[in-house]
Amino acid sequence: MSYGIYIGKNHTADGIAYLGGYGDEPSSHWLEVVERKQHSEGTTIKVGVTAQADLPGVITEIPQARETARHIRVNYSFYKGTPAPLTNGGLNEYGVAVRDIWSPSRPELVAMTPRDQTGPSYSDLSRIVLERAKSAVEGVKLMGDLIARYGHTTYGGNSNIIADSNEAWVIIQFAGGQGLWAAERLGDNSIRASRPGYIEEIPIEGQTSGDFLYSANLVDFAISQGWYCPTSGDKFNVNKIYGDAKGKWDGVSWIEGELASLSMRPRKITVEDIFWAIRTERLTGDTAGYGQVVPLGDAVHPELRMLWHTHVGPVVAPFTPVFMGVREVPPEFRMHRYLTDGEAERFLDGRCFDSKVSLVSQQVESTRSATYVFKRLLNLVFRDSEVFLPEVSAFLTAYERRLLEVSVDVSKTARILLHAGEPALAERYLTYVTNTELIKALDSAEQLACALDVRSRALHATCARDRLLGPEQIR
């Protein structure tokens, strides 16, 4: 159950909007900073899914942009016929952040999806927005244009939250092969959770509202299928007509209510509150592949844009700042063979097995896998969550409090270097701080895991525990 939240700037203590969330995938995850790139005319990219997908499709090629933006993203290696590397979103140098969250379409749409569907998948759309969009609304229109031009490859319905410093948009892409989509604007006073993504009532009288955009056929197709009658007097409820008709799921209602309550305090919603909202064990567990929180403030220097990153579900990992201006991330946080699809049959040594050479270099594989270390900690914590989870949560809160103070000083220092005309020195500084803090977080997780392992073995030396343990979650 992928998850995203957007909090408008009028609800936050620092007057900055935030986008946070995570993706749920059963494979390895790794952190990547992608450079801005120039592409020659005629360059294409492959999009879509293979015949191995639940809703099969055909891989096709579409034109690449002449220039793609620098961005930070988390990649992963597997989802049902979708070629790796995949992504659910991240942050680009223009301050556009993207989160991908599933959003089930009505069964009739899933059933009518062509078995040779073509066009960008959910991962393709997220990546392309990171590469090309300079504002949130531009990202929405870019998705709509790509779907109209090249089609859309679906796994049964999907959504995104696309945000910048001024606004955010929820966009739903529906199954069915009809190019159906709808988008709703979120503003300064919005608090929105997607789990799954949803849009309810929208105005359909000539698209006169600037708060909604949708495909040209959205209304007519619903009428043609008998799903909406324009003379009935009913509102055009997107979720009831094209979605699962459930509206807000229980988890969405709960977290939106909690955040609304927090926003009523004099200090409003703090960054620590947002970390909690992504971390809470009621919504976050083993399936969460990582965590992201993006401050959507204006930045004079793109290098100072940043996101807070956890390498598995933040329920056991500290949010650590990653700045746009870094040269690289530590090898521990790059792609390792652990949980990476296809790596079980590969070798690092290619002398006798040229067709089975690993995608991971020996240099990277000789380092610790951050995913493995944090996953081990998560399983130790969940085996005794009543005892261990409160302790680890208190540690993470204290740990992040220091990092929040550090990040302010780091931004100020790097800004001074950039103003002084020292971009190379600023890059070295941001890289050093980001990499140092990522490794410190990894060291802390490893030390915690060793300590909890000793305690767990002593507490349960004679107990056989084969069933899955962990805190109860809300769907």
Side-chain angles (χ1 to χ4, degrees), residues 123-263:
S123 174
D124 298 321
L125 290 173
S126 297
R127 185 188 67 253
I128 290 170
V129 169
L130 286 176
E131 291 178 340
R132 305 183 190 182
K134 296 183 179 180
S135 69
V137 70
E138 182 180 335
V140 171
K141 293 177 179 179
L142 175 60
M143 283 189 178
D145 182 61
L146 289 169
I147 291 169
R149 286 173 179 265
Y150 307 110
H152 175 233
T153 297
T154 185
Y155 59 87
N158 193 63
S159 77
N160 298 85
I161 304 176
I162 310 175
D164 59 27
S165 61
N166 296 312
E167 63 183 8
W169 288 79
V170 175
I171 176 170
I172 315 288
Q173 306 97 20
F174 299 99
Q178 304 298 315
L180 298 162
W181 62 271
E184 176 185 1
R185 181 183 178 274
L186 309 176
D188 297 345
N189 294 310
S190 298
I191 294 176
R192 172 64 70 89
S194 289
R195 196 179 181 264
Y198 70 93
I199 295 174
E200 296 186 300
E201 293 179 0
I202 67 171
I204 58 173
E205 295 79 20
Q207 294 199 150
T208 55
S209 172
D211 291 334
F212 296 92
L213 295 168
Y214 46 86
S215 58
N217 63 340
L218 188 79
V219 178
D220 290 342
F221 187 77
I223 295 171
S224 72
Q225 299 298 305
W227 300 338
Y228 175 70
C229 177
T231 60
S232 67
D234 293 337
K235 300 288 188 180
F236 196 92
N237 187 304
V238 174
N239 179 258
K240 290 182 178 178
I241 295 169
Y242 283 121
D244 61 10
K246 295 180 180 179
K248 298 182 183 182
W249 286 28
D250 290 344
V252 167
S253 295
W254 175 73
I255 196 63
E256 285 187 352
E258 292 292 310
L259 290 169
S261 295
L262 291 172
S263 73

Side-chain angles (χ1 to χ4, degrees), residues 2-5 19-23 99 101 274 278 290-294 308 310 314 319:
S2 299
Y3 171 38
I5 57 171
L19 178 66
Y22 59 73
R99 284 251 47 82
I101 307 103
I274 300 169
I278 304 300
Y290 59 94
Q292 285 182 3
V293 170
V294 182
W308 294 89
T310 71
F319 282 100

Side-chain angles (χ1 to χ4, degrees), residues 372-392:
Y372 175 80
V373 172
F374 283 110
K375 280 285 188 182
R376 180 189 177 212
L377 177 59
L378 184 146
N379 283 291
L380 282 162
V381 169
F382 276 18
R383 287 186 71 234
D384 293 277
S385 59
E386 300 87 351
V387 177
F388 294 157
L389 186 56
E391 296 177 6
V392 172

Side-chain angles (χ1 to χ4, degrees), residues 272-403:
E272 294 96 323
D273 295 326
I274 300 169
F275 289 169
W276 166 82
I278 304 300
R279 167 169 294 134
T280 173
E281 71 278 6
R282 300 195 72 185
L283 300 178
T284 305
D286 172 63
T287 60
Y290 59 94
Q292 285 182 3
V293 170
V294 182
L296 294 163
D298 292 317
V300 175
H301 301 285
E303 297 90 338
L304 300 181
R305 299 191 190 281
M306 53 87 73
L307 57 77
W308 294 89
H309 169 75
T310 71
H311 211 64
V312 300
V315 68
V316 297
F319 282 100
T320 306
V322 178
F323 287 87
M324 186 69 65
V326 302
R327 183 187 308 119
E328 60 186 5
V329 297
E332 290 85 348
F333 289 79
R334 301 178 203 167
M335 182 174 67
H336 281 66
R337 302 179 75 188
Y338 174 70
L339 290 181
T340 297
D341 185 49
E343 283 295 318
E345 60 184 8
R346 298 177 184 271
F347 298 87
L348 290 175
D349 188 341
R351 288 175 294 177
C352 301
F353 304 97
D354 292 338
S355 63
K356 296 292 185 181
V357 178
S358 173
L359 301 175
V360 182
S361 71
Q362 186 182 52
Q363 183 265 334
V364 170
E365 194 61 15
S366 65
T367 66
R368 293 171 292 174
S369 164
T371 301
Y372 175 80
V373 172
F374 283 110
K375 280 285 188 182
R376 180 189 177 212
L377 177 59
L378 184 146
N379 283 291
L380 282 162
V381 169
F382 276 18
R383 287 186 71 234
D384 293 277
S385 59
E386 300 87 351
V387 177
F388 294 157
L389 186 56
E391 296 177 6
V392 172
S393 297
F395 166 78
L396 294 174
T397 299
Y399 191 97
E400 289 160 350
R401 192 172 297 121
R402 177 190 67 83
L403 282 177

Side-chain angles (χ1 to χ4, degrees), residues 85-142:
L86 301 100
T87 187
N88 294 126
L91 173 70
N92 74 14
E93 62 180 298
Y94 302 113
V96 177
V98 185
R99 284 251 47 82
D100 176 277
I101 307 103
W102 104 111
S103 179
S105 298
R106 66 184 296 156
E108 295 93 331
L109 286 173
V110 176
M112 70 175 64
T113 301
R115 296 313 182 196
D116 59 350
Q117 59 177 333
T118 60
S121 69
Y122 73 97
S123 174
D124 298 321
L125 290 173
S126 297
R127 185 188 67 253
I128 290 170
V129 169
L130 286 176
E131 291 178 340
R132 305 183 190 182
K134 296 183 179 180
S135 69
V137 70
E138 182 180 335
V140 171
K141 293 177 179 179
L142 175 60

